[in-house]
Amino acid sequence: MPMIDVHDLRRTFLIRERRGVLRRTRREVQAVDGITFSVEPGEAVGYIGPNGAGKSTTIKMLTGILVPTSGHLRVADLDPSRRRTELARRIGVVFGQRTGLWWDLPLRDSFELLRRIYRVPTPTYERNLSAYVGLLEIGDLLGQPVRQLSLGQRMRADIVAALLHDPEILYLDEPTIGLDIASKQRLRTFLRELNADRGTTILLTTHDLVDIEQVCRRVMVIDHGRLAFDGDFAALHAAGQATRTVVVDFHDEVPPIDVPGSRVVRVDGVRQWLTVPAGTPTGPVIAALASSHEIADLSIREPTIEDVLPHLYARP
Amino acid sequence: MSASLYAGLASRGFRRYATYRSATLAGIFTNTVFGVIISYTYIALWVERPQLGGYGIAQALTFAWVAQALIMPVGLFGGGIVADYSERVRSGAVATDLQRPAPLLAVRLAEDLGRAAYALLTRGIAPMLVGALLFPLAWPSSVSTWLLFALSITLAVVIGFALRYLLGLLAFWIIDTSGPASVLVVLQIFASGSALPLVTFPGVLRRICELLPFRCLVQVPCDVLLREDTGTGSLPLIGLQLLWATTLLGLGAVLTRAAVRTVVVQGG
């Protein structure tokens, strides 16, 4: 049975606009416009899309704080908005831009209150607390008021807070926003291990595509309220017409090389850039180059999600 | 629901405010100064009009200091939960609250009881002690009156919370609650009797105030404390407070459900 099961989910917002002194018009906005997907237990799924695409609206419906306009929606076999409280015990939610911690109190007190709110059995609580506090290296901060924590420290504390009750699903909304490179990296490693070791289902929303590449095996792309893509990275690259780039430095300047299966996109002195569709081996292309010219240096650049997303967004 | 959760939330509400010691000291100082100013005003008034509203000078002075003591615990000037709560709705932080498996109203009430307990122990009792040293106050001698007074204060705190909670819920519908918040503060200050005892108000105005819940915040606890007879005479007053507390909390619960059900959480 899927952990998350969504069929033809829609959410419409009514926007009231003033036009002149007394006239007001109402306009319907389809924030989520008929999306269908399912997530199996233990999957780690990246959920990406431009601002206003419907990501947060989807997450809100999945956690039960927003009622869908229509469509089928089950999370852990529950209807989220009707069984919000029951569902809350089984999910963890982390918003990068908000905190679920108590601002004026020492961090330890927030964890203690959450233990009571979620009715976590003491042995579970102590085991989880010591494990996660150790992994995310916040042991020294437990006595500090939350308002004194840095953004990176607070983010790690929020993630510990979301995991104390052993949630089956962890939703993360922009968890690395504003963090420095080292903090981001630590967080990604942690999430990858959490998913692998505990089998926690992860749904990750982010604008930092490296998050997705490092944590998730599957990506869903939403745009204008519709799913533009759902699959693994290889498929994403294919759908986004991703290319690998072979950068060659020849010994002498030569005219643009014509090798079957590749295309020269740029020439600068002795250096040439050839693109090869992702999924096609570069070996034959390189062999052909080496047999006809003398090569001084050569490198291959892999496609990034940034390169392929514009193709997906641009679709009608 | 688990008692340990609410005890934890209450103690958190207590400690949250206990963190700010200098603010507490400044508050005690302010309450004391205002207590003294109001005392001299009342003395001038009651010397001119003895037995106004049925109070003697000692009773009027006791009223003044009890009213000062109750300002923070019952939240007469607003702030606290209201400001917190409207802000949480506006910023969308309320989404975090809704994602917790605990009822919003009960969580907030427990936190506010903790806050009120701290306010009562500091900004309630300390100015009162100064007042008792400086002025002749009328203290009841019977234990039962004190017990009923304690109960009445607790109910006043709950009613004060319920009023501010309802105002906070408004943020789900109107986003900016500062206008209604000012109206509530003005009503709470005047219709509670905290500015001048309701017993001194002229006919119609007094009757209107007696129909409103605000008198349960200050006038009713003072009535319970100042009654000459001991024992069961105050029970109808306690009953009135119970009625308002239940009504307002019930309304709060219904509106919470309506807010959660129909209103889109802002932001995110």
Side-chain angles (χ1 to χ4, degrees), chain B residues 59-73:
Chain B
Q59 279 141 342
L61 290 175
T62 309
F63 188 102
W65 288 94
V66 171
Q68 277 300 313
L70 287 177
I71 286 177
M72 286 313 285

Side-chain angles (χ1 to χ4, degrees), chain A residues 125-201:
Chain A
Y125 171 75
E126 278 166 5
R127 190 190 65 225
N128 283 346
L129 187 65
S130 73
Y132 295 135
V133 160
L135 282 171
L136 286 168
E137 298 167 47
I138 54 168
D140 296 340
L141 309 172
L142 290 175
Q144 276 191 37
V146 172
R147 61 171 191 273
Q148 289 176 6
L149 301 182
S150 74
L151 181 63
Q153 291 169 337
R154 202 220 78 210
M155 199 56 236
R156 281 180 276 148
D158 259 307
I159 288 182
V160 172
L163 291 172
L164 290 173
H165 59 289
D166 276 337
E168 295 157 56
I169 308 173
L170 182 62
Y171 297 105
L172 300 132
D173 193 0
E174 302 275 1
T176 58
I177 199 161
L179 300 191
D180 62 44
I181 303 275
S183 304
K184 281 184 180 178
Q185 205 46 48
R186 180 156 44 183
L187 210 58
R188 291 167 185 152
T189 309
F190 173 79
L191 291 174
R192 201 165 52 226
E193 286 171 4
L194 179 80
N195 176 246
D197 299 346
R198 297 235 179 185
T200 308
T201 307

Side-chain angles (χ1 to χ4, degrees), chain A residues 56 60 102 104-105 109 116, chain B residues 4 12 15 20 98 267-268:
Chain A
S56 293
K60 282 177 188 163
W102 279 260
D104 315 87
L105 294 181
D109 289 25
R116 297 178 196 214
Chain B
S4 99
R12 174 256 160 181
R15 273 176 296 151
Y20 304 103
L98 295 177

Side-chain angles (χ1 to χ4, degrees), chain A residues 67-291:
Chain A
V67 184
T69 307
S70 71
H72 170 86
L73 174 59
R74 285 284 179 284
V75 177
D77 210 28
L78 298 173
D79 179 345
S81 62
R82 285 178 194 281
R83 311 274 288 276
R84 179 168 49 84
T85 311
E86 201 178 324
L87 182 64
R89 291 182 197 288
R90 302 175 59 179
I91 63 177
V93 184
V94 178
F95 290 113
Q97 311 202 60
R98 295 180 198 135
T99 180
L101 305 167
W102 279 260
W103 202 243
D104 315 87
L105 294 181
L107 187 52
R108 192 194 313 275
D109 289 25
S110 282
F111 292 156
E112 184 58 32
L113 277 172
L114 288 168
R115 176 179 77 76
R116 297 178 196 214
I117 288 178
Y118 286 92
R119 295 189 214 154
V120 187
T122 309
T124 312
Y125 171 75
E126 278 166 5
R127 190 190 65 225
N128 283 346
L129 187 65
S130 73
Y132 295 135
V133 160
L135 282 171
L136 286 168
E137 298 167 47
I138 54 168
D140 296 340
L141 309 172
L142 290 175
Q144 276 191 37
V146 172
R147 61 171 191 273
Q148 289 176 6
L149 301 182
S150 74
L151 181 63
Q153 291 169 337
R154 202 220 78 210
M155 199 56 236
R156 281 180 276 148
D158 259 307
I159 288 182
V160 172
L163 291 172
L164 290 173
H165 59 289
D166 276 337
E168 295 157 56
I169 308 173
L170 182 62
Y171 297 105
L172 300 132
D173 193 0
E174 302 275 1
T176 58
I177 199 161
L179 300 191
D180 62 44
I181 303 275
S183 304
K184 281 184 180 178
Q185 205 46 48
R186 180 156 44 183
L187 210 58
R188 291 167 185 152
T189 309
F190 173 79
L191 291 174
R192 201 165 52 226
E193 286 171 4
L194 179 80
N195 176 246
D197 299 346
R198 297 235 179 185
T200 308
T201 307
I202 291 179
L203 189 63
L204 171 66
T205 306
T206 181
H207 281 106
D208 189 332
L209 299 165
V210 184
D211 289 352
I212 306 253
E213 286 186 303
Q214 296 208 359
V215 177
C216 307
R217 279 173 300 264
R218 175 178 163 195
V219 197
M220 295 192 295
V221 180
I222 186 172
D223 189 34
H224 292 103
R226 293 167 182 272
L227 271 193
F229 176 82
D230 182 359
D232 61 14
F233 280 97
L236 180 68
H237 288 150
Q241 300 156 32
T243 52
R244 289 198 278 178
T245 309
V246 180
V247 185
V248 208
D249 290 350
F250 296 105
H251 252 290
D252 310 296
E253 284 192 31
V254 290
I257 305 287
D258 183 22
V259 176
S262 76
R263 196 161 61 87
V264 174
V265 288
R266 195 177 154 200
V267 178
D268 182 10
V270 297
R271 180 171 288 188
Q272 298 195 11
W273 284 259
L274 291 83
T275 58
V276 180
T280 338
T282 49
V285 174
I286 295 168
L289 287 173
S291 65

